[in-house]
Amino acid sequence: MELVSIIEVILMRVVLVERRLLEEQSHLEELAALSRTLNYEVVATLQQVREPDPAYNIGKGKANELADLVKSSGAERVVSDNQLTPSQTYKLSRLVGVEVVDRFQLILEIFAMRAGSPEAKLQVEYAKLSYEMPRIREQVRALMSVERPGLMGGGEYEVDVRYDMVKRKLANLRQKLKSVAKTREQRRKLRRRRGFNLVALAGYTNSGKSTLLNALTAANAEVDDMYFTTLMPRTRAICASRKILLTDTVGFIDGLPPWLIEAFKATLEEIYLADLVMLIIDASDPIPELLRKFRTSRDVLAEYPVKVVAVLNKIDLISQEDLERKLDVLNNLSSSVVSISASKGTNFGALLDVMRANV
Ligand code: GDP
Ligand code: MG
C-alpha cells in the first residue's frame, strides 16, 4: 500500500499529443519512451492528421478535446510531439489548464537530468538558451498581453533587456566551456589504475538499454566505490572478479536539430570514458529501419576512440528465420554481433564472453 502511494507521488501524469500530415510517420511511441525516461506516466495520447493550426498547432476542436482529456485523466502536463511557438504553448496551456511542453523541451529535460559532468551541464544550459533566443520576442509579448492587456505591440524595451541578458549568458557559457579542463583522459587513467573496465550501453531510445543493465546487474550490488557512484550515477558493477563496470547512456533520438547535437554528445560522455561500447539494436524493427538506426549510431560512435560490439536485442519478438536474416545483414557491417533477449535473459553467457574478450 505504502509503496503504491509513494510511486503516485513520484510519477508525473502526462498526455501526449501529436499533429502530423498524412504522409508523416507517427512519433508517439518514441515520445512515450522519452517520457518514461523522465519517470512520466503516459495516461492518454491524442493524434490529429491535419495542417498546423496557427493558434494551437492542433485544431481548435482537437484542443478542446485535449482539455477534456486532461481533466478526465487527471494529467498534470501535456507533451506535444510538434515544436510549438511560445504563443502556441501559452494559448494551449491556458486552454487545457496544465503546463504544455514540446518535444525539444522534453529532450532538454532528459539531457539536463543525464548531464553528469560540469561540461555536460554547461552544454545543456547552452542548448536551452539557444532554444530560447529566437523565441524571446514572442515570449515577452505573450507575457505582456496578460500583464498589460491594453498595451498592444509594445514591449520592445523588455525584449531588448532580455535579449541582452541571454546573449551575455551565452557568451559567458562559451567562455566557461573553453576553460573546463579536459579531465576525461585523467579519469580514464585513474579508473584503469584501480583495475576497473568500463562498458557503456548505447543505442536508440527504446532499444532496451536499461532493461539489459538491470538484468545483468540484478544479482550484483551497486558499485561500492563512491568515486564511481557519484561520478556516474547510472553505473553498476558486474562480474565482480573481473571488475567490469556497466553504464547506461542517454538514448539516440531521431531528428535532433543541430543546436541540440552538442548537448547530446556531452551527455554521451560515458562513451568517451568507456573501454567498450555495446550498441543495442532493437531486433523487432523492420530491416530498413534497423539498418538506418544502426548506421546513425555507428556514425556517432565513430567519433569516439572506442571498440563497438553490436547487440541485437528483443530476439524473443521475432522468428528464427527473421533473426537469421537480420544477423546476416549485421554481420556484413559489424565485426562482432551478439543476439540476446534482455527481458528473457537469452544468450547472456555469450554476451558476457564477448564483453570479457573485448575489455
Ligand atoms: P531504453 O530506452 O533503451 O533504456 O529501453 P528500455 O530498457 O526502457 O526498454 C524499452 C522497452 O522494450 C520496454 O518496454 C522493455 O520492456 C522492452 N524490452 C527491452 N528488452 C526487451 C526484450 O529483450 N524483449 C522484449 N520483448 N521487450 C524488451
Ligand atoms: Mg533507458
Side-chain angles (χ1 to χ4, degrees), residues 36-295:
R36 280 198 302 275
T37 307
L38 282 168
N39 268 335
Y40 291 175
E41 183 194 2
V42 178
V43 290
T45 60
L46 199 66
Q47 276 195 77
Q48 187 175 36
V49 175
R50 63 160 283 162
E51 303 283 324
D53 176 272
Y56 297 105
N57 177 52
I58 48 176
K60 179 82 202 286
K62 252 317 183 225
N64 283 321
E65 205 180 302
L66 179 63
D68 291 341
L69 196 56
V70 166
K71 263 189 216 91
S72 64
S73 64
E76 298 142 273
R77 214 173 197 199
V78 167
V79 182
S80 162
D81 189 67
N82 309 93
Q83 182 166 15
L84 301 176
T85 66
S87 81
Q88 284 171 339
T89 306
Y90 176 74
K91 281 181 188 141
L92 202 54
S93 68
R94 282 207 100 179
L95 185 73
V96 302
V98 296
E99 191 188 0
V100 176
V101 297
D102 69 17
R103 175 188 172 78
F104 294 127
Q105 286 165 300
L106 190 76
I107 292 171
L108 276 168
E109 258 177 60
I110 294 173
F111 287 176
M113 180 182 81
R114 289 303 187 94
S117 68
E119 187 191 3
K121 288 195 171 84
L122 292 175
Q123 286 286 12
V124 172
E125 180 68 22
Y126 194 86
K128 265 190 187 155
L129 288 174
S130 311
Y131 189 67
E132 267 184 34
M133 193 67 176
R135 304 154 79 89
I136 287 174
R137 184 172 306 275
E138 235 185 308
Q139 261 169 8
V140 170
R141 291 232 165 110
L143 264 178
M144 290 194 44
S145 71
V146 191
E147 283 166 11
R148 290 189 251 159
L151 207 83
M152 295 297 288
E156 285 313 313
Y157 172 71
E158 284 83 353
V159 171
D160 284 347
V161 168
R162 183 120 184 84
Y163 256 131
D164 274 359
M165 202 177 81
V166 172
K167 243 191 226 155
R168 251 182 293 127
K169 269 196 192 163
L170 282 172
N172 197 324
L173 282 172
R174 268 195 301 272
Q175 209 49 44
K176 274 194 190 148
L177 272 169
K178 262 193 213 158
S179 70
V180 167
K182 292 270 174 272
T183 52
R184 284 194 193 111
E185 201 45 42
Q186 274 163 280
R187 278 163 58 183
R188 183 186 198 137
K189 277 184 189 144
L190 178 61
R191 175 169 48 72
R192 282 185 163 284
R193 259 209 310 279
R194 294 190 182 201
F196 286 94
N197 290 302
L198 183 65
V199 176
L201 301 177
Y204 268 76
T205 292
N206 218 33
S207 59
K209 299 179 296 297
S210 302
T211 308
L212 181 62
L213 179 80
N214 290 332
L216 282 176
T217 57
N220 294 279
E222 295 276 322
V223 179
D224 51 5
D225 191 318
M226 271 307 288
Y227 177 76
F228 294 113
T229 41
T230 49
L231 217 56
M232 296 181 173
R234 289 165 308 282
T235 303
R236 315 228 194 114
I238 57 163
C239 332
S241 61
R242 305 281 313 223
K243 289 193 179 176
I244 291 182
L245 297 169
L246 204 58
T247 187
D248 202 356
T249 63
V250 58
F252 295 3
I253 302 157
D254 275 324
L256 275 190
W259 57 268
L260 258 177
I261 300 285
E262 284 313 311
F264 168 65
K265 285 185 183 160
T267 52
L268 270 183
E269 73 155 7
E270 288 98 339
I271 289 180
Y272 269 117
L273 297 165
D275 303 300
L276 173 70
V277 171
M278 296 207 285
L279 174 56
I280 316 299
I281 299 157
D282 187 340
S284 66
D285 279 338
I287 286 181
E289 179 83 352
L290 185 149
L291 271 179
R292 186 183 59 76
K293 288 183 180 173
F294 175 77
R295 291 206 174 99

